[in-house]
């Protein structure tokens, strides 16, 4: 299975740490990061898609993607 996650957060170092943690656990960046202004909160929001090949696991909707 190829797992897909979209990591999102406010534009802070916490977002960068979440992406860095995913990459260090074998996830691969997928595409470019996205940024958008959240007018309700008055902050920039970030998003980065990541994928991971997990050959020995079949997909089911209850897979905990962050635990892969």
């Amino acid at each position: 299975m190829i797992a897909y996650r979209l990591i999102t957060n406010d534009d802070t170092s916490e977002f960068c740490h979440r992406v860095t943690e995913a990459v260090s656990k074998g996830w691969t960046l997928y595409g470019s990061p996205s940024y958008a202004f959240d007018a309700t909160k008055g902050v920039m929001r970030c998003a980065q898609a990541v994928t991971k090949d997990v050959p020995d696991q079949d997909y089911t909707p209850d897979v905990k993607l962050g635990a892969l």
Side-chain angles (χ1 to χ4, degrees):
M1 142 178 102
I2 296 177
Y4 171 92
R5 292 173 56 199
L6 182 65
I7 300 170
T8 62
N9 208 338
D10 293 346
D11 186 12
T12 64
S13 63
E14 182 181 347
F15 171 76
C16 296
H17 284 285
R18 291 182 65 202
V19 173
T20 300
E21 178 183 28
V23 171
S24 73
K25 291 183 176 181
W27 292 82
T28 301
L29 299 178
Y30 184 84
S32 299
S34 297
Y35 301 93
F37 183 69
D38 181 341
T40 303
K41 292 177 67 179
V43 298
M44 292 298 291
R45 299 273 300 162
C46 302
Q48 175 64 60
V50 293
T51 61
K52 185 175 186 179
D53 187 16
V54 188
D56 296 333
Q57 184 164 345
D58 292 329
Y59 173 76
T60 63
D62 61 331
V63 169
K64 302 296 183 201
L65 298 172
L68 295 176

